[in-house]
Amino acid sequence: MLRAFVIALLVLVTPASAQELAAEIIERDQPYGSHPRQLIDVSARPLSTLKPALLIVHGGDWQTGDKRTAIAKTKYFLQEGFAVAAMNYRLFPEVTPRDQAQDVAAAAVWLAKNADRYGIDPRQIYLVGHGSGAHLVSLVGTDPSYLAKYGAVPSDLGGIIALDSPVYDVPTEIAETTLATQRGQVLRQVFTDNPSFWPGASPAYQTAKTRKLPPFFVVHTSGTPNAFRQAKPFASALRKEGGVAVLYEAVSRDPESVYRYFGGENDPMTKELINFIRREANIPVIRTRDPKGLELPPIPWLFAFEAPEEDANGRRITGTEITEIVTHEKRLFAGNGHTNETEESRRAQVMRLDSREEQWKLDFQMPLGFTRVASMAPVSFETDSLGRPIAKLDYLLVGATYERTDDRPLPAAVFIRTPSGNWTKQEIGELTGPVDAVHVESMTGWRDPQTKKDIVLVGASPAPLGITKGIYDPASVGGIRFDDEPEFTPREDERIRGFAACGGRMYAATDKMILRRRDGENASWQVLLDLEDLVATRPYLEQLDVYWQKNYAIGSFRCDRSQAKTTLAFTSLNRAFRYTPGEERPVVEMDIAQLLRRELGREPHYIQAQEATTIRRRGRDLEEWIGIEVYYDPDFLAARPVFPYWRTGFGKDAWYLVRTVVGGQTVYRLEEIYVPGTDPNQRPLARVTDFEMSPFEKDNAIYVGGFAPWFEKVSNTAWIARGEL
């Protein structure tokens, strides 16, 4: 009985006995059965504690292959503290795939029985299969009948690592593959023309048969026909039954190269699966928290504001979300979204903090209908409308979302805080017809290098609104005069997401386009990049939920000042990109979804990135902090009823990305805003929207705000946290 002897081995195999192993054990062709191909190789090094083991199962379309291909993989895994075994198994047509799966189970049991010989933890044996081998290990991991012969169950294994299996659901794959292809011919030969045989040889049909599944690491290569016809549904089926299933896309790999690079020191997939094993084996994941190897102390967070509150004058500060935090006149200003308490209070607010010792004040209450602060920007004018020098004037501009309340036209408005501290409103356009809301969610100041005039640029949507220019004019309301017509109008239902000054030019981003301004009196905008037209980005859409396939958008758009030449950075499609104007396509810097899978063991569907803020910490390299909101895979959540998430699938905890560039290498890490003593289910933080360094004297701190998950009816939930750096 495997479980019985595993318990017995844990008594016999102690750290002391592991230390008595030889310098290195390499044993070849150990028989685990009576057939000439039922042989196993084992390599191990002594450690002070028991170590996990990888049992590598070769591919070869169930008909060919040999364990010797694993020899080159051994060195790196030994260095990482694992034992490595590789096995041969009987081949088709002598046996069927189900017989081959029985060989895999027999080899796993043999390795567990001999664990003390190699210093292996018998509870931490991971079956690693490539190609057809990935199909076999998945079958052993889901169908309990193979291990039952030895008195064991699949959950006795440490885990299953499936490297690009050609099939998990045999009936579906045979139906989708014609006999005219080599693939179709192989499937019909190996799995026969008998449909009654197919389900029993399909891991996807077995997931409900065992009480507890081992954790799975499911790899698919990018661009292969069956990647999401097989891998994603299989991972979803595992999660539906309460299993852990990490789905990993091996970018720029095909079925041959994914195994060739497996076990290489610089292979991203190998590092991901090593972290997967360490996490499942309760071994601390070795990761550098700082690119220079410096230990980063945790940031102590506390709440600086929680709605609802009253300011010093007794005015109520409510709100569902903090959308923007900016520094203006050496004070902090924050945009606070509406509250749902009553229709009368359904309006946005601007709050102000004058010093760290004081409390937040209500600086401005917007009129009814303006429900959300969508953008904020401090701007300065040092020239007049003719480009002549004037004494510097500092303004704070605020854009808002206006939601329909009646049949009247919807205004697109900019609220202006003048140098005297008064608030005025300028309308830059209006919309009629079947439009539910108007958004003014991006704005910036800019000195036009052609006209030498200081201007402001405001992005409003939907069309026919767009990017509108304003100039200083003391005769206009609030001192700013806006053009009657926009310089650029986006596509229907597409928003203006942000501006970025980079390399002496002004750039803008809509939901799916990057633009460059042609400065001058008759300014216009040139489309540089369109994510809808790029063949390179289309495969990423298949990995998104149906809703997000239509509604993905560019986020955290900014100038990448870490690069020597003009480069823009942004997020979209669950990835962080870098783009140099003039190049055909953007470069993927980080798969953010994979980062969450690796570091948190969670399965996201979509990640909405917010503003990016440049952070300068004493003694550290320049960092960018990017707030995110995570929408999780429904199957992942269904298996975790106590996980902190909203019923719509958004997480209740607060995560952000930290991006650092050292020596030309870009590094991303995940950090959490956690206020001690809080429960995410009772005090959800949700979306992290914006960061701002403290402007106060001798105050090395950072402020961050957020909340308001999509599609949720919430009230009085806005928050601002303060972190000591």
Side-chain angles (χ1 to χ4, degrees), residues 9-48:
L9 284 172
L10 291 175
V11 176
L12 295 173
V13 182
T14 64
S17 64
Q19 287 178 322
E20 293 168 3
L21 293 171
E24 184 167 291
I25 296 175
I26 301 177
E27 294 185 353
R28 306 285 189 209
D29 297 330
Q30 300 297 305
Y32 65 87
S34 58
H35 192 277
R37 279 194 59 86
Q38 291 177 326
L39 301 173
I40 188 170
D41 297 343
V42 185
S43 299
R45 288 179 180 173
L47 293 173
S48 60

Side-chain angles (χ1 to χ4, degrees), residues 510-671:
T510 70
D511 283 338
K512 299 175 176 63
M513 294 188 293
I514 291 179
L515 319 168
R516 180 168 59 197
R517 189 174 193 262
R518 295 190 177 103
D519 293 302
E521 291 292 350
N522 299 308
S524 61
W525 292 82
Q526 174 190 7
V527 177
L528 300 179
L529 185 74
D530 190 342
L531 296 184
E532 284 198 338
D533 292 342
L534 277 180
V535 175
T537 61
R538 288 176 188 165
Y540 305 146
L541 290 175
E542 299 177 7
Q543 302 169 36
L544 302 183
D545 177 85
V546 173
Y547 175 84
W548 295 111
Q549 287 181 11
K550 301 175 183 177
N551 293 279
Y552 73 92
I554 289 175
S556 62
F557 179 69
R558 73 273 187 202
C559 181
D560 184 359
R561 304 190 188 281
S562 67
Q563 304 296 317
K565 57 183 177 179
T566 298
T567 305
L568 301 161
F570 64 95
T571 62
S572 185
L573 297 161
N574 286 356
R575 287 162 173 79
F577 292 93
R578 178 174 78 241
Y579 174 66
T580 300
E583 294 185 353
E584 182 180 358
R585 59 189 60 185
V587 174
V588 178
E589 276 194 340
M590 172 58 64
D591 185 327
I592 306 172
Q594 293 288 13
L595 183 65
L596 263 72
R597 293 185 186 105
R598 181 184 71 220
E599 300 212 3
L600 303 181
R602 301 178 183 179
E603 184 61 34
H605 248 179
Y606 188 71
I607 299 157
Q608 181 84 10
Q610 308 297 316
E611 298 290 332
T613 303
T614 300
I615 306 296
R616 295 181 184 273
R617 299 176 64 181
R618 285 197 295 262
R620 305 291 182 192
D621 290 294
L622 195 70
E623 297 179 338
E624 285 183 315
W625 289 15
I626 306 169
I628 59 175
E629 179 183 40
V630 185
Y631 171 56
Y632 290 104
D633 183 289
D635 293 334
F636 173 85
L637 295 175
R640 294 160 178 82
V642 298
F643 188 82
Y645 68 94
W646 295 94
R647 57 181 176 78
T648 45
F650 290 94
K652 288 185 175 181
D653 39 16
W655 294 93
Y656 62 98
L657 300 171
V658 178
R659 176 184 186 264
T660 311
V661 180
V662 178
Q665 297 296 314
T666 305
V667 178
Y668 285 82
R669 69 177 189 269
L670 272 171
E671 297 288 352

